[in-house]
Amino acid sequence: PLEAYEKTRRSLEYDLKELWYNIRSRQGNLDENDLAQMQDVYRTLRSHLIKLRAADGYEAFREQETAELATLVQDRLHVLQNPKHCDTAKKLVCNLNKGCGFGCQVHHVCYCLVVAYATGRTLILESRGWRYNRQGWEQIFLPVSDTCTFSGTSKRDDFASGKTEDSRVVQLPIVDFLKPKPDYLPISIPADIADRLEKVHGEPHIWWVGQFMKFLLRLQPQFQNIIDSHVSKLGVSSPTVGIHVRRTDKIGTEASLHSLKEYMVHAEEYFSIMEKVHGQVKRRVFIASDEPSVIAEAMNSYPRPEWEILGDAKVAQSASMGQRYNGAGLVGILKDVFVLAECDFVVCTFSSQVCRLAYELIQAKHTDASERFVSLDDVYYYGGGNGLVQVATAPHKPRNDEEIELKVGDKIGVAGNHWNGMSKGTNQRTHRKGLYPSYKARNLIQRVSFPKVKWWLQ
Ligand code: GDP
């Protein structure tokens, strides 16, 4: 009964949002008062759902089960990374120097750790000469292993799925060069914990990635102190909405420009719903950006006492192009990512790896944090990994040339959600690409038996 109940409760929340996205997209054609009333009904319904979850009697179970699963994954990673006999252990060597930003590099390391886990190998992370810190990863983060940090040999075989099982030391290329792609890459989840995970989490694949990020991003004490004092100096405390505004080099190449207001309407929405549940709350918003002027704009346009805008323009300055790849740039991005991860909710663009990283880390801090986000562009994805597939839960007859037909059970490779009630994707049965109503499909997360899934028992 719990599984069916949870599925229905999450569906209610998902479909309600889709209904509102659809109404909201008709803004110009609707009477202002009608729209305001519909928005208030929507917010009221969302607040009922929050109260329903709090009162359904399952929250203690959700919390305990999520905590147990987190301990299980962290313990497994610890065992994997600290083999009894390092000299004879099988190893996977991964080089941090992917020529991209911090978020992208951390996703690269996370992919390496997933492959290490799936193939039962200890990850050896090589990071000397890292663009953010020449001396390497271990100066900033705890080493990925306490006992086994060198490959011990210069003889390495290039990773080849299914062919290098017997090699002792294997070198993993960046995911872009991996062919064929193993099915265990994100966004797949491990079959052995999938039932438990799906019961307590709305987006189990993001929680799974979040656990790997949590393991990887354990700071060295001196950097932890820097972050802790930054968080307390800023004054972040619950509830805070985190907004990440990615500008500079990203605009026009990989993402479109979004005005500050586009982000802030979602902060407003979040607090309005919270107020229906808890009574008046402080509208506290933390802004992270690579564009310093955004923070000043927010402070001017959303003044006290109605709003409390938190942000550090100096940190944003350190992120601007030309200054990014050095010690200050690194401390800056660490501050912003970890503060975003402390927030109760994030509004950002999932096209940015910084934003996806923050959202993954949030999953490790709450019990089912799958609803704690708004993305202004992409749906969540894992670059280079397996793409999102949905399954049709209702039939759909195309109403125009842009739409595609759905039969219940059809699988759809998702290209994106237009956040107006419609999603775009390719029906794998008909091979037709086009639009379909988002509420007529649900995520289908691949469950994969990780090849060496019993290694920690040996
Ligand atoms: P993406 O380009 O947004 O997908 O993310 P990447 O992490 O790959 O590269 C962007 C880089 O720009 C980051 O790693 C940071 O160095 C910098 N950056 C982007 N946004 C921010 C921000 O909000 N704060 C700080 N401090 N740095 C940022």
Side-chain angles (χ1 to χ4, degrees):
L2 175 57
E3 267 159 282
Y5 165 76
E6 284 293 74
K7 237 175 148 178
T8 311
R9 184 181 61 79
R10 287 191 205 118
S11 281
L12 202 57
E13 184 150 358
Y14 182 85
D15 292 339
L16 193 55
K17 280 188 190 173
E18 289 299 332
L19 173 68
W20 172 240
Y21 296 158
N22 191 236
I23 294 171
R24 189 183 61 185
S25 72
R26 291 158 211 280
Q27 204 161 13
N29 303 324
L30 289 172
D31 174 84
E32 230 173 80
N33 288 331
D34 284 346
L35 188 70
Q37 181 166 341
M38 282 189 259
Q39 180 172 48
D40 200 49
V41 175
Y42 163 71
R43 290 173 173 181
T44 305
L45 290 171
R46 288 286 310 278
S47 75
H48 291 336
L49 271 170
I50 293 172
K51 289 181 192 162
L52 185 78
R53 170 170 161 176
D56 63 14
Y58 289 132
E59 196 61 14
F61 169 77
R62 285 187 198 104
E63 274 169 27
Q64 193 190 333
E65 184 71 350
T66 308
E68 273 180 27
L69 285 166
T71 304
L72 180 137
V73 175
Q74 295 302 313
D75 286 353
R76 284 181 182 181
L77 289 173
H78 185 79
V79 172
L80 173 73
Q81 286 306 107
N82 295 282
K84 279 204 188 87
H85 305 288
C86 175
D87 45 346
T88 53
K90 289 192 172 168
K91 295 171 186 140
L92 184 78
V93 180
C94 169
N95 197 306
L96 177 59
N97 286 332
K98 190 168 177 176
C100 54
F102 179 77
C104 163
Q105 291 181 330
V106 169
H107 281 104
H108 166 60
V109 180
C110 179
Y111 137 77
C112 294
L113 188 57
V114 169
V115 175
Y117 178 97
T119 56
R121 290 175 177 276
T122 300
L123 173 68
I124 307 291
L125 182 62
E126 293 185 333
S127 64
R128 289 215 160 251
W130 180 27
R131 72 193 308 184
Y132 280 96
N133 183 54
R134 298 273 156 215
Q135 281 76 38
W137 176 268
E138 293 79 17
Q139 240 185 14
I140 315 297
F141 299 102
L142 299 185
V144 293
S145 169
D146 305 328
T147 57
C148 193
T149 50
F150 296 102
S151 68
T153 170
S154 55
K155 191 184 164 307
R156 296 162 183 191
D157 294 321
D158 290 332
F159 179 89
S161 207
K163 288 191 190 131
T164 39
E165 252 96 88
D166 296 328
S167 308
R168 209 167 65 70
V169 182
V170 167
Q171 173 89 40
L172 188 69
I174 60 171
V175 72
D176 316 59
F177 296 146
L178 203 61
K179 280 198 184 91
K181 258 184 219 163
D183 57 359
Y184 52 71
L185 294 186
I187 57 171
S188 303
I189 55 171
D192 68 323
I193 58 167
D195 278 340
R196 292 178 69 187
L197 201 49
E198 285 188 354
K199 209 179 277 176
V200 291
H201 207 285
E203 304 274 23
H205 54 298
I206 313 179
W207 182 89
W208 172 241
V209 172
Q211 287 300 314
F212 279 62
M213 291 301 190
K214 178 177 154 179
F215 181 85
L216 288 170
L217 300 185
R218 292 164 299 152
L219 286 164
Q220 289 285 6
Q222 81 194 82
F223 284 96
Q224 189 63 57
N225 288 341
I226 293 174
I227 300 301
D228 291 347
S229 61
H230 182 67
V231 171
S232 63
K233 210 172 96 193
L234 272 177
V236 175
S237 63
S238 187
T240 300
V241 169
I243 288 183
H244 176 234
V245 181
R246 180 74 168 93
R247 294 263 172 91
T248 63
D249 56 316
K250 194 89 172 173
I251 304 303
T253 54
E254 294 177 14
S256 318
L257 183 88
H258 295 279
S259 67
L260 179 65
K261 189 167 173 233
E262 287 176 75
Y263 296 83
M264 287 298 288
V265 291
H266 297 290
E268 155 86 28
E269 185 96 293
Y270 176 83
F271 289 120
S272 299
I273 294 168
M274 281 303 130
E275 276 176 358
K276 287 188 188 287
V277 180
H278 302 292
Q280 212 186 352
V281 292
K282 182 100 222 143
R283 298 184 168 219
R284 196 180 300 111
V285 174
F286 165 71
I287 310 228
S289 182
D290 53 337
E291 172 59 65
S293 68
V294 171
I295 295 166
E297 183 191 347
M299 288 179 175
N300 290 332
S301 312
Y302 298 86
R304 287 166 187 263
E306 198 191 342
W307 293 92
E308 186 180 325
I309 304 292
L310 313 177
D312 187 331
K314 272 200 251 123
V315 171
Q317 194 64 49
S318 75
S320 57
M321 287 311 289
Q323 296 186 42
R324 189 171 287 175
Y325 302 115
N326 58 29
L330 178 64
V331 171
I333 186 65
L334 290 176
K335 282 179 174 170
D336 277 346
V337 163
F338 284 111
V339 174
L340 286 171
E342 285 305 313
C343 292
D344 299 85
F345 192 86
V346 281
V347 184
C348 55
T349 44
F350 273 166
S351 57
S352 167
Q353 307 240 25
V354 173
C355 154
R356 296 205 301 282
L357 174 60
Y359 181 56
E360 288 152 359
L361 287 171
I362 285 177
Q363 305 310 311
K365 297 205 181 245
H366 303 267
T367 300
D368 193 355
S370 58
E371 295 295 338
R372 294 174 180 263
F373 82 101
V374 164
S375 167
L376 299 184
D377 56 15
D378 297 340
V379 291
Y380 176 86
Y381 67 98
Y382 198 98
N386 294 300
L388 179 64
V389 172
Q390 292 196 326
V391 62
T393 47
H396 183 66
K397 279 209 166 56
R399 296 164 294 190
N400 55 50
D401 288 351
E402 284 184 288
E403 295 187 3
I404 54 170
E405 181 204 34
L406 299 180
K407 282 187 183 167
V408 175
D410 280 354
K411 288 180 184 166
I412 311 148
V414 180
N417 187 323
H418 289 191
W419 311 117
N420 62 359
M422 303 298 284
S423 286
K424 194 175 208 168
T426 304
N427 187 326
Q428 295 179 350
R429 177 178 59 83
T430 61
H431 305 288
R432 291 194 67 94
K433 185 173 183 176
L435 299 172
Y436 60 94
S438 309
Y439 77 96
K440 292 187 174 183
R442 285 291 174 275
N443 288 356
L444 182 71
I445 302 303
Q446 274 276 104
R447 293 169 166 217
V448 173
S449 286
F450 280 43
K452 285 276 168 67
V453 87
K454 287 206 163 50
W455 53 262
W456 54 84
L457 299 173
Q458 288 159 11

